[in-house]
Amino acid sequence: MASSPPRPGGPAVPSSPVRVTVIGECVADAFTDAALSGPGELALRVHPGGGPANTAVALARLGTPVAFRARLADDVFGRLFRAQLAGSGVDLSGCVAAAEPSTLAVAEVDGEGRASFSFHAEGTADWQWTEAELAAVPPAGPVCVHSGSLALARDPGGPAIEAYLARAAASATVSIDPNVRPLLVDPAVYRERLPRWCALADVLRLSADDVGHLFPESGVEAVCDRFHEDGVPLVVVTLGPQGALASLNGERIAVPARRVEVVDTVGAGDAFTAGLLHRLDAQGLLGGRLDGLTVPAVAEACRFAAGVAALTCGVAGPNPPWADRL
């Protein structure tokens, strides 16, 4: 079942108080298109992407009032990002108008729908966060703050976001998705920062590829235990067609993937994260340290998240479903 594009005339901001704030990057995902390419040229189709932006869009389409905090350029890609986010109902009032250009990623998709990216990201808007910019919107208010990906891992802005998450943890559940990109950030940087992120976070969602980049000699369950030791109670590893493994303080939950005809897998992990946070919020579990979270509640939330991810795989690019498509 295909998901819908942004709906023209939809709300630019949520009609209810913000439940989740997402902080991070927008990336223009440019896909090679052989059918449109002529001799001596390469045609590209550009989708608005970036892990945190995809998560914010998916949350809004599921019905969670969400605010996105990003540094948005005033260029053709920045305008594309704004249209996608606002058309999906994301609150953009806390975004920064950036002087730097947008980040571009050129993607090739293999026969199984998996994308490999080359990035054009030096000196772009997403990594230039300052403490003053983040202090302009207080972290108090939402029940959850989600971040991660390149904006959290790259300097100079990453440490500023990390400090923001530490302030937010006083009143909100903190969710982090490392989204490891070894072409842009050495995995050693993630390994050095992850203990601090796990001490801040209540939810850590990562992919099997992330685990392979970070700890190639370790199995998924051993990596979950490592993250628990560093302080995060809920770790979820998405495993592609094998589903997902969730670990709540060491108690494991295996969640099967939903069957779908895959177009590509771009944005599927971000959609899974959004589905997980949406369902945890619907169960009244966000807003603290997840003290009331149970294994059955995790399993139910992960099954819902797997359905959201499957629908995202059924269409081209990071285009998560609206709630009425579930």
Short mmCIF file of all heavy atoms in Angstrom, two decimals, residues 10-65:
data_model
loop_
_atom_site.label_atom_id
_atom_site.label_comp_id
_atom_site.label_asym_id
_atom_site.label_seq_id
_atom_site.Cartn_x
_atom_site.Cartn_y
_atom_site.Cartn_z
N GLY A 10 -2.63 21.34 4.26
CA GLY A 10 -2.60 20.76 5.60
C GLY A 10 -2.05 21.75 6.60
O GLY A 10 -1.49 22.79 6.25
N PRO A 11 -2.20 21.46 7.89
CA PRO A 11 -1.77 22.40 8.91
C PRO A 11 -0.27 22.60 8.90
O PRO A 11 0.50 21.65 8.78
CB PRO A 11 -2.22 21.73 10.23
CG PRO A 11 -2.30 20.27 9.89
CD PRO A 11 -2.71 20.20 8.46
N ALA A 12 0.19 23.83 9.04
CA ALA A 12 1.61 24.12 9.09
C ALA A 12 2.18 23.84 10.47
O ALA A 12 3.37 23.63 10.62
CB ALA A 12 1.86 25.58 8.71
N VAL A 13 1.32 23.87 11.50
CA VAL A 13 1.76 23.56 12.85
C VAL A 13 0.72 22.64 13.48
O VAL A 13 -0.44 22.62 13.09
CB VAL A 13 1.90 24.84 13.72
CG1 VAL A 13 2.98 25.73 13.16
CG2 VAL A 13 0.59 25.61 13.81
N PRO A 14 1.12 21.82 14.45
CA PRO A 14 0.15 20.95 15.10
C PRO A 14 -0.93 21.76 15.80
O PRO A 14 -0.69 22.86 16.29
CB PRO A 14 1.00 20.17 16.11
CG PRO A 14 2.41 20.30 15.63
CD PRO A 14 2.48 21.63 14.96
N SER A 15 -2.16 21.21 15.84
CA SER A 15 -3.26 21.90 16.50
C SER A 15 -3.24 21.68 18.01
O SER A 15 -3.95 22.35 18.74
CB SER A 15 -4.60 21.40 15.92
OG SER A 15 -4.71 19.99 16.08
N SER A 16 -2.42 20.75 18.49
CA SER A 16 -2.31 20.46 19.91
C SER A 16 -0.91 20.81 20.38
O SER A 16 0.01 20.97 19.58
CB SER A 16 -2.58 18.96 20.15
OG SER A 16 -3.86 18.59 19.68
N PRO A 17 -0.71 20.94 21.70
CA PRO A 17 0.64 21.22 22.20
C PRO A 17 1.62 20.16 21.74
O PRO A 17 1.30 18.97 21.64
CB PRO A 17 0.45 21.19 23.72
CG PRO A 17 -0.99 21.51 23.94
CD PRO A 17 -1.72 20.90 22.78
N VAL A 18 2.84 20.60 21.47
CA VAL A 18 3.88 19.71 20.97
C VAL A 18 4.16 18.60 21.98
O VAL A 18 4.34 18.85 23.17
CB VAL A 18 5.17 20.51 20.68
CG1 VAL A 18 6.35 19.58 20.45
CG2 VAL A 18 4.95 21.41 19.47
N ARG A 19 4.18 17.38 21.49
CA ARG A 19 4.51 16.22 22.32
C ARG A 19 5.97 15.80 22.16
O ARG A 19 6.60 15.36 23.12
CB ARG A 19 3.61 15.03 21.95
CG ARG A 19 2.13 15.28 22.11
CD ARG A 19 1.72 15.36 23.55
NE ARG A 19 1.88 14.09 24.26
CZ ARG A 19 1.71 13.96 25.58
NH1 ARG A 19 1.43 15.02 26.33
NH2 ARG A 19 1.85 12.77 26.15
N VAL A 20 6.49 15.91 20.95
CA VAL A 20 7.86 15.48 20.66
C VAL A 20 8.59 16.61 19.93
O VAL A 20 8.05 17.20 18.99
CB VAL A 20 7.89 14.20 19.79
CG1 VAL A 20 9.33 13.79 19.50
CG2 VAL A 20 7.14 13.07 20.48
N THR A 21 9.81 16.90 20.36
CA THR A 21 10.70 17.79 19.63
C THR A 21 11.81 16.95 19.01
O THR A 21 12.41 16.11 19.68
CB THR A 21 11.32 18.85 20.55
OG1 THR A 21 10.28 19.74 20.99
CG2 THR A 21 12.37 19.67 19.82
N VAL A 22 12.07 17.18 17.73
CA VAL A 22 13.14 16.49 17.01
C VAL A 22 14.18 17.53 16.62
O VAL A 22 13.84 18.59 16.09
CB VAL A 22 12.61 15.77 15.76
CG1 VAL A 22 13.75 15.09 15.01
CG2 VAL A 22 11.54 14.74 16.12
N ILE A 23 15.44 17.23 16.87
CA ILE A 23 16.54 18.13 16.53
C ILE A 23 17.49 17.39 15.59
O ILE A 23 17.92 16.27 15.89
CB ILE A 23 17.34 18.56 17.77
CG1 ILE A 23 16.41 19.15 18.84
CG2 ILE A 23 18.42 19.57 17.40
CD1 ILE A 23 17.12 19.41 20.16
N GLY A 24 17.83 18.02 14.47
CA GLY A 24 18.80 17.38 13.57
C GLY A 24 18.76 17.95 12.18
O GLY A 24 18.29 19.06 11.94
N GLU A 25 19.26 17.13 11.24
CA GLU A 25 19.50 17.64 9.89
C GLU A 25 18.40 17.31 8.91
O GLU A 25 17.61 16.37 9.10
CB GLU A 25 20.82 17.09 9.36
CG GLU A 25 20.81 15.62 8.97
CD GLU A 25 21.26 14.71 10.10
OE1 GLU A 25 21.26 15.14 11.27
OE2 GLU A 25 21.61 13.55 9.82
N CYS A 26 18.39 18.12 7.84
CA CYS A 26 17.67 17.81 6.61
C CYS A 26 18.72 17.54 5.53
O CYS A 26 19.73 18.24 5.46
CB CYS A 26 16.81 18.98 6.15
SG CYS A 26 15.45 19.41 7.23
N VAL A 27 18.49 16.55 4.71
CA VAL A 27 19.42 16.22 3.63
C VAL A 27 18.63 16.03 2.35
O VAL A 27 17.59 15.36 2.35
CB VAL A 27 20.21 14.93 3.95
CG1 VAL A 27 21.11 14.53 2.78
CG2 VAL A 27 21.05 15.11 5.22
N ALA A 28 19.10 16.64 1.27
CA ALA A 28 18.49 16.40 -0.04
C ALA A 28 19.00 15.07 -0.57
O ALA A 28 20.20 14.93 -0.86
CB ALA A 28 18.85 17.54 -0.99
N ASP A 29 18.12 14.08 -0.65
CA ASP A 29 18.48 12.75 -1.14
C ASP A 29 18.25 12.71 -2.65
O ASP A 29 17.09 12.69 -3.11
CB ASP A 29 17.62 11.67 -0.47
CG ASP A 29 18.00 11.46 0.99
OD1 ASP A 29 19.12 11.82 1.38
OD2 ASP A 29 17.15 10.94 1.74
N ALA A 30 19.32 12.72 -3.43
CA ALA A 30 19.24 12.72 -4.88
C ALA A 30 19.50 11.31 -5.40
O ALA A 30 20.58 10.76 -5.20
CB ALA A 30 20.25 13.70 -5.47
N PHE A 31 18.49 10.73 -6.07
CA PHE A 31 18.59 9.36 -6.56
C PHE A 31 18.90 9.37 -8.06
O PHE A 31 18.27 10.11 -8.83
CB PHE A 31 17.28 8.60 -6.32
CG PHE A 31 16.98 8.36 -4.88
CD1 PHE A 31 16.41 9.35 -4.10
CD2 PHE A 31 17.29 7.15 -4.28
CE1 PHE A 31 16.14 9.14 -2.75
CE2 PHE A 31 17.02 6.93 -2.95
CZ PHE A 31 16.45 7.92 -2.18
N THR A 32 19.85 8.55 -8.46
CA THR A 32 20.14 8.44 -9.88
C THR A 32 18.94 7.83 -10.60
O THR A 32 18.27 6.92 -10.09
CB THR A 32 21.38 7.57 -10.12
OG1 THR A 32 21.17 6.28 -9.53
CG2 THR A 32 22.61 8.21 -9.47
N ASP A 33 18.65 8.35 -11.80
CA ASP A 33 17.48 7.90 -12.57
C ASP A 33 17.94 7.62 -14.00
O ASP A 33 18.02 8.52 -14.83
CB ASP A 33 16.39 8.97 -12.55
CG ASP A 33 15.06 8.43 -13.07
OD1 ASP A 33 15.08 7.56 -13.96
OD2 ASP A 33 14.00 8.89 -12.59
N ALA A 34 18.26 6.35 -14.27
CA ALA A 34 18.78 5.97 -15.59
C ALA A 34 17.75 6.22 -16.69
O ALA A 34 18.11 6.54 -17.82
CB ALA A 34 19.21 4.50 -15.57
N ALA A 35 16.46 6.07 -16.36
CA ALA A 35 15.42 6.22 -17.37
C ALA A 35 15.35 7.64 -17.91
O ALA A 35 14.96 7.86 -19.07
CB ALA A 35 14.07 5.82 -16.79
N LEU A 36 15.72 8.62 -17.10
CA LEU A 36 15.66 10.01 -17.53
C LEU A 36 17.00 10.55 -18.01
O LEU A 36 17.09 11.68 -18.47
CB LEU A 36 15.16 10.89 -16.37
CG LEU A 36 13.74 10.62 -15.87
CD1 LEU A 36 13.41 11.54 -14.70
CD2 LEU A 36 12.73 10.82 -17.00
N SER A 37 18.04 9.72 -17.89
CA SER A 37 19.38 10.16 -18.27
C SER A 37 19.62 9.94 -19.76
O SER A 37 19.30 8.87 -20.30
CB SER A 37 20.44 9.39 -17.47
OG SER A 37 20.26 9.61 -16.08
N GLY A 38 20.19 10.96 -20.42
CA GLY A 38 20.55 10.83 -21.82
C GLY A 38 22.04 10.59 -21.97
O GLY A 38 22.77 10.50 -20.98
N PRO A 39 22.54 10.48 -23.20
CA PRO A 39 23.97 10.28 -23.42
C PRO A 39 24.79 11.42 -22.80
O PRO A 39 24.50 12.59 -23.01
CB PRO A 39 24.10 10.28 -24.94
CG PRO A 39 22.73 9.91 -25.44
CD PRO A 39 21.77 10.50 -24.47
N GLY A 40 25.79 11.04 -22.04
CA GLY A 40 26.67 12.03 -21.45
C GLY A 40 26.07 12.84 -20.33
O GLY A 40 26.61 13.89 -19.95
N GLU A 41 24.93 12.37 -19.74
CA GLU A 41 24.33 13.09 -18.62
C GLU A 41 23.76 12.11 -17.62
O GLU A 41 23.51 10.94 -17.94
CB GLU A 41 23.22 14.04 -19.11
CG GLU A 41 22.03 13.32 -19.72
CD GLU A 41 20.94 14.27 -20.20
OE1 GLU A 41 21.25 15.45 -20.41
OE2 GLU A 41 19.79 13.82 -20.36
N LEU A 42 23.55 12.61 -16.41
CA LEU A 42 22.99 11.79 -15.33
C LEU A 42 21.83 12.56 -14.72
O LEU A 42 22.01 13.66 -14.20
CB LEU A 42 24.04 11.50 -14.26
CG LEU A 42 23.57 10.69 -13.04
CD1 LEU A 42 23.16 9.28 -13.45
CD2 LEU A 42 24.66 10.64 -11.98
N ALA A 43 20.63 11.99 -14.78
CA ALA A 43 19.45 12.63 -14.21
C ALA A 43 19.28 12.18 -12.76
O ALA A 43 19.58 11.03 -12.41
CB ALA A 43 18.21 12.27 -15.02
N LEU A 44 18.82 13.09 -11.93
CA LEU A 44 18.61 12.82 -10.51
C LEU A 44 17.18 13.19 -10.12
O LEU A 44 16.62 14.18 -10.60
CB LEU A 44 19.58 13.64 -9.65
CG LEU A 44 21.08 13.40 -9.86
CD1 LEU A 44 21.88 14.42 -9.06
CD2 LEU A 44 21.47 11.98 -9.42
N ARG A 45 16.60 12.38 -9.24
CA ARG A 45 15.34 12.72 -8.58
C ARG A 45 15.67 13.07 -7.14
O ARG A 45 16.32 12.28 -6.45
CB ARG A 45 14.36 11.53 -8.61
CG ARG A 45 13.83 11.17 -9.97
CD ARG A 45 12.90 9.96 -9.88
NE ARG A 45 13.63 8.74 -9.51
CZ ARG A 45 13.56 8.17 -8.32
NH1 ARG A 45 12.83 8.70 -7.36
NH2 ARG A 45 14.25 7.06 -8.07
N VAL A 46 15.21 14.20 -6.67
CA VAL A 46 15.58 14.67 -5.33
C VAL A 46 14.38 14.57 -4.40
O VAL A 46 13.30 15.10 -4.69
CB VAL A 46 16.10 16.13 -5.38
CG1 VAL A 46 16.46 16.59 -3.97
CG2 VAL A 46 17.33 16.22 -6.29
N HIS A 47 14.59 13.87 -3.28
CA HIS A 47 13.59 13.76 -2.23
C HIS A 47 14.10 14.50 -0.99
O HIS A 47 15.30 14.45 -0.69
CB HIS A 47 13.34 12.30 -1.84
CG HIS A 47 12.75 11.46 -2.91
ND1 HIS A 47 11.40 11.27 -3.06
CD2 HIS A 47 13.34 10.72 -3.90
CE1 HIS A 47 11.17 10.47 -4.08
NE2 HIS A 47 12.33 10.12 -4.61
N PRO A 48 13.22 15.16 -0.24
CA PRO A 48 13.65 15.72 1.05
C PRO A 48 13.89 14.59 2.04
O PRO A 48 13.04 13.72 2.22
CB PRO A 48 12.46 16.59 1.47
CG PRO A 48 11.28 16.02 0.74
CD PRO A 48 11.81 15.43 -0.53
N GLY A 49 15.08 14.57 2.65
CA GLY A 49 15.42 13.49 3.56
C GLY A 49 16.23 13.98 4.75
O GLY A 49 16.12 15.13 5.17
N GLY A 50 17.06 13.08 5.27
CA GLY A 50 17.78 13.34 6.52
C GLY A 50 17.06 12.63 7.65
O GLY A 50 15.85 12.81 7.83
N GLY A 51 17.80 11.80 8.41
CA GLY A 51 17.16 10.97 9.43
C GLY A 51 16.24 11.71 10.38
O GLY A 51 15.06 11.34 10.54
N PRO A 52 16.69 12.76 11.06
CA PRO A 52 15.79 13.47 11.99
C PRO A 52 14.57 14.08 11.28
O PRO A 52 13.46 14.02 11.81
CB PRO A 52 16.70 14.53 12.60
CG PRO A 52 18.07 13.95 12.49
CD PRO A 52 18.08 13.22 11.19
N ALA A 53 14.78 14.67 10.10
CA ALA A 53 13.65 15.24 9.37
C ALA A 53 12.64 14.16 9.00
O ALA A 53 11.42 14.36 9.12
CB ALA A 53 14.15 15.96 8.11
N ASN A 54 13.13 13.00 8.54
CA ASN A 54 12.22 11.90 8.22
C ASN A 54 11.41 11.47 9.44
O ASN A 54 10.21 11.17 9.33
CB ASN A 54 13.02 10.69 7.71
CG ASN A 54 13.74 10.94 6.42
OD1 ASN A 54 13.40 11.86 5.67
ND2 ASN A 54 14.75 10.13 6.15
N THR A 55 12.06 11.43 10.59
CA THR A 55 11.37 11.03 11.82
C THR A 55 10.29 12.04 12.19
O THR A 55 9.18 11.67 12.59
CB THR A 55 12.38 10.87 12.97
OG1 THR A 55 13.34 9.87 12.61
CG2 THR A 55 11.69 10.45 14.26
N ALA A 56 10.61 13.32 12.06
CA ALA A 56 9.61 14.37 12.37
C ALA A 56 8.42 14.27 11.44
O ALA A 56 7.25 14.37 11.88
CB ALA A 56 10.27 15.74 12.27
N VAL A 57 8.67 14.08 10.15
CA VAL A 57 7.57 13.94 9.18
C VAL A 57 6.70 12.74 9.52
O VAL A 57 5.46 12.83 9.53
CB VAL A 57 8.13 13.84 7.75
CG1 VAL A 57 7.06 13.36 6.77
CG2 VAL A 57 8.68 15.18 7.29
N ALA A 58 7.33 11.61 9.81
CA ALA A 58 6.56 10.40 10.12
C ALA A 58 5.73 10.57 11.38
O ALA A 58 4.56 10.16 11.43
CB ALA A 58 7.51 9.20 10.26
N LEU A 59 6.29 11.18 12.42
CA LEU A 59 5.53 11.43 13.65
C LEU A 59 4.31 12.29 13.36
O LEU A 59 3.20 12.01 13.83
CB LEU A 59 6.42 12.11 14.68
CG LEU A 59 7.35 11.21 15.49
CD1 LEU A 59 8.43 12.03 16.18
CD2 LEU A 59 6.55 10.41 16.53
N ALA A 60 4.50 13.38 12.60
CA ALA A 60 3.38 14.28 12.31
C ALA A 60 2.30 13.56 11.52
O ALA A 60 1.10 13.72 11.79
CB ALA A 60 3.89 15.50 11.54
N ARG A 61 2.70 12.76 10.54
CA ARG A 61 1.69 12.06 9.72
C ARG A 61 0.94 11.01 10.53
O ARG A 61 -0.21 10.70 10.23
CB ARG A 61 2.37 11.42 8.50
CG ARG A 61 2.89 12.46 7.51
CD ARG A 61 3.44 11.80 6.27
NE ARG A 61 3.97 12.78 5.33
CZ ARG A 61 4.44 12.50 4.13
NH1 ARG A 61 4.44 11.23 3.71
NH2 ARG A 61 4.90 13.44 3.34
N LEU A 62 1.60 10.46 11.55
CA LEU A 62 0.91 9.50 12.43
C LEU A 62 -0.05 10.19 13.39
O LEU A 62 -0.89 9.53 14.00
CB LEU A 62 1.94 8.69 13.22
CG LEU A 62 2.77 7.71 12.41
CD1 LEU A 62 3.87 7.11 13.28
CD2 LEU A 62 1.90 6.61 11.82
N GLY A 63 0.09 11.50 13.55
CA GLY A 63 -0.81 12.25 14.42
C GLY A 63 -0.19 12.75 15.70
O GLY A 63 -0.91 13.30 16.55
N THR A 64 1.12 12.58 15.88
CA THR A 64 1.80 13.10 17.06
C THR A 64 2.17 14.56 16.82
O THR A 64 2.90 14.85 15.87
CB THR A 64 3.08 12.30 17.37
OG1 THR A 64 2.72 10.96 17.71
CG2 THR A 64 3.84 12.92 18.53
N PRO A 65 1.72 15.50 17.64
CA PRO A 65 2.15 16.89 17.48
C PRO A 65 3.66 17.00 17.70
O PRO A 65 4.17 16.68 18.78
CB PRO A 65 1.37 17.64 18.57
CG PRO A 65 0.17 16.78 18.85
CD PRO A 65 0.70 15.37 18.69
#
